Amino acid sequence: MDLTDFSAGAQYIAGRQIRGTGEEPFQVVNPADGTVVQQVTLASTADVDAAVAAARAALPEWAGATPGARSEALLRLSAVLAGAADDLARVETSQTGKPIKLSTEFDVPGTVDNTAFFAGAARNLEGKAAGEYSGDHTSYVRREAIGVVGSVSPWNYPLQMAAWKILPAIAAGNTIVLKPAELTPLTSLMFARACTEAGIPDGVVNVVTGAGRGAGEHLVSHPGVAMVSFTGSTPVGRRVAELASATAKRTHLELGGKAPFVVFDDADLDAAIHGAVAGSLINSGQDCTAATRAYIQRPLYEAFVAGVAELFESVRLGDPLNPRTDLGPLVSFTHRDRVAGFVERARGYGAVIAAGGHAPAKGHDGTDLTRGAYWRPTLITGVAQDSEVVQGEIFGPVLVALPFDSDEEGLRLANDTPYGLAASAWTRDIHRSLRATREIAAGCVWVNDHIPIISEMPHGGYKSSGYGKDMSQYSLDEYTQVKHVMYDTTAVARKDWHRTVFGDR
């Protein structure tokens, strides 16, 4: 099966790739040069209905399969994905503009590893051990599939986020309808086709490529969907929760972030500088866990700013397919202009642009970057804690640096946004690190690093960054419902408690 053949359409329903029945064609555009990668017909609400029906039809067989059978299917899927690694990386880069070295070394192997992890996790649906908790009954707990899951994934990591949605859901015995972002649907379709090639039954994994306000809202409010999982911005997440609440669906929301990067005065300065550049620029800063607010204790502040500015200027922008390119374009010209707007408004209220702050003309390899949605790595200083660039999610290659004096002030500033997805603390002092990891309100706190994720550990936020976990055993649990089963052990017809309803002792 050629996973890269999209000629049949951009919907994957009941094991078949078909054309959507929406009225308007849509172009998937390479943001590096504006060329059309693929023209697709978007899904209508009727396509969503068909996908949900296919998922419902497949549910009894898949939910009834043994954990071992589901595990074996996911192991086969891991092998199929590994075999298609080069194609997946190339298509991911073409639709997102991310450097091929990121697709090749991070997105694709991470997805393959995640698939292998959930193949193992599928065998581990644990409940409370059986016991006679009342004295007269044996109780135990079952974890069962919830039903059809309706998931909406974002455009920044299309392949990985499709996997994060699909894998725990189907490992637990659910079936799924995934709506990827219409800007970047191609590797999600490839993932669904790989599921079929791996022998996962038709209808277990379905993909509908459509607009958020049409197909997306219809999916999350669909009466045939039992659970909704969404990754995206906080405002849209609130809308998803509102729609899901109408039918009391379980919701899982991984929303925005504004990760603080806290550098104490005993930190390894060189490590912190390199960590800040990597942590703020990964995926062109289009990462909800990216370092966006660097707080540096005052003795190290000037040296940190100078070091980051120097490294920012050395970052190589260019053709994403060139293995030496460090930074690709943003996902679209519209998004590039949004990021530029944050920077220009910051200039207007007195910010100092210590590096970058503009769209580049030429790449390191001579590429004409004016045809793409590129933006130079940008370092901003001289702004207040309550300014827009400190509080708002820019979602681009922009880092704001601010000084602090006491440890208390640094931790207070780190927590001073509505978000709580990720953070990092940089120090050689074990007591400082323990305090920072305890007091920073975020779902993930790194110490002396920023960004790495692993399949075995959960990913999810606090506060306005949402609730629920991706990856790890915690994610598998999210996609199950808990059932208490209770057996009478006495064989006595007349129970003592009956007298509270009728008769006497």
Side-chain angles (χ1 to χ4, degrees):
M1 180 186 293
D2 180 6
L3 300 184
T4 65
D5 181 5
F6 305 107
S7 59
Q11 320 302 323
Y12 200 82
I13 300 173
R16 294 176 55 242
Q17 197 161 321
I18 60 174
R19 295 186 185 279
T21 59
E23 296 180 359
E24 296 295 328
F26 185 85
Q27 293 180 335
V28 177
V29 173
N30 184 338
D33 56 16
T35 58
V36 176
V37 179
Q38 190 71 39
Q39 181 161 299
V40 301
T41 304
L42 297 181
S44 66
T45 56
D47 296 320
V48 174
D49 291 340
V52 173
R56 286 174 64 85
L59 181 64
E61 177 189 353
W62 185 248
T66 65
R70 292 196 293 266
S71 174
E72 289 171 3
L74 289 174
L75 281 174
R76 293 193 299 270
L77 175 60
S78 179
V80 172
L81 294 170
D86 289 344
D87 286 340
L88 286 164
R90 178 178 52 79
V91 174
E92 191 77 333
T93 287
S94 73
Q95 66 178 352
T96 63
K98 66 179 64 190
I100 191 67
K101 65 179 180 178
L102 183 64
S103 296
T104 301
E105 298 178 31
F106 183 75
D107 297 63
V108 174
T111 300
V112 173
D113 182 74
N114 212 230
T115 307
F117 170 81
F118 278 107
R123 292 179 177 265
N124 193 36
L125 290 170
E126 290 187 339
K128 198 174 182 110
E132 287 69 48
Y133 297 98
S134 78
D136 292 335
H137 305 82
T138 295
S139 289
Y140 66 89
V141 169
R142 294 173 55 90
R143 283 194 175 271
E144 298 181 345
I146 296 171
V148 176
V149 178
S151 290
V152 179
S153 58
W155 48 256
N156 56 335
Y157 290 100
L159 176 63
Q160 281 200 314
M161 295 300 174
W164 286 14
K165 299 300 183 193
I166 292 169
L167 292 170
I170 67 173
N174 304 283
T175 57
I176 189 167
V177 179
L178 175 78
K179 193 205 84 67
E182 63 270 30
L183 291 175
T184 56
L186 302 182
T187 48
S188 298
L189 290 165
M190 293 172 72
F191 191 97
R193 294 184 73 180
C195 289
T196 298
E197 188 168 333
I200 294 173
D202 294 349
V204 172
V205 176
N206 307 273
V207 175
V208 289
T209 300
R213 288 197 175 274
E217 292 200 353
H218 190 62
L219 176 62
V220 300
S221 59
H222 200 289
V225 169
M227 174 181 172
V228 168
S229 178
F230 170 82
T231 296
S233 72
T234 296
V236 178
R238 292 192 183 104
R239 174 63 176 161
V240 168
E242 177 187 356
L243 290 169
S245 68
T247 48
K249 290 178 174 61
R250 181 182 298 194
T251 55
H252 172 288
L253 303 176
E254 199 265 272
L255 307 179
K258 191 70 179 175
F261 186 101
V262 184
V263 182
F264 294 98
D265 58 13
D266 68 324
D268 181 329
L269 179 60
D270 191 49
I273 288 169
H274 283 80
V277 172
S280 63
L281 299 186
I282 186 170
N283 203 34
S284 298
Q286 298 167 129
D287 186 310
C288 48
T289 62
T292 60
R293 300 177 288 136
Y295 297 104
I296 308 94
Q297 207 148 24
R298 204 170 294 275
L300 298 184
Y301 178 72
E302 289 187 7
F304 178 90
V305 168
V308 170
E310 182 180 0
L311 267 185
F312 267 13
E313 294 296 344
S314 72
V315 170
R316 297 167 300 191
L317 283 75
D319 177 3
L321 290 174
N322 184 333
R324 298 187 68 247
T325 292
D326 298 322
L327 199 70
L330 297 171
V331 74
S332 68
F333 285 96
T334 298
H335 187 58
R336 193 274 308 273
D337 292 346
R338 179 182 179 276
V339 171
F342 273 95
V343 176
E344 292 308 310
R345 289 190 296 276
R347 277 195 177 99
Y349 50 77
V352 175
I353 308 301
H358 60 88
K362 289 285 184 183
H364 72 95
D365 51 3
T367 304
D368 178 9
L369 301 187
T370 61
R371 297 188 302 139
Y374 289 86
W375 188 258
R376 286 289 320 171
T378 299
L379 178 62
I380 296 176
T381 64
V383 294
Q385 173 68 13
D386 62 356
S387 62
E388 182 190 39
V389 289
V390 175
Q391 295 293 322
E393 189 175 28
I394 302 172
F395 223 60
V398 179
L399 177 65
V400 183
L402 299 91
F404 69 91
D405 292 304
S406 68
D407 289 14
E408 290 74 15
E409 181 189 15
L411 296 174
R412 177 180 59 79
L413 293 171
N415 285 329
D416 185 28
T417 72
Y419 300 104
L421 186 57
S424 63
W426 297 74
T427 177
R428 291 184 173 99
D429 186 317
I430 184 63
H431 301 290
R432 266 179 164 167
S433 67
L434 287 170
R435 180 183 182 185
T437 57
R438 182 176 66 249
E439 294 187 12
I440 293 175
C444 174
V445 182
W446 293 281
V447 177
N448 296 330
D449 208 344
H450 194 109
I451 283 298
I453 55 174
I454 50 175
S455 296
E456 292 82 359
M457 289 292 111
H459 175 89
Y462 288 15
K463 303 190 293 187
S464 290
S465 291
Y467 46 82
K469 300 298 179 185
D470 290 315
M471 301 197 297
S472 80
Q473 184 70 34
Y474 294 95
S475 178
L476 186 73
D477 292 348
E478 296 272 348
Y479 290 89
T480 65
Q481 51 193 347
V482 173
K483 177 186 288 183
H484 170 216
V485 178
M486 194 177 214
Y487 280 87
D488 169 64
T489 60
T490 66
V492 174
R494 181 78 183 271
K495 306 291 194 296
D496 186 56
W497 72 268
H498 292 177
R499 66 187 173 80
T500 63
V501 182
F502 69 98
D504 302 315
R505 185 184 294 272

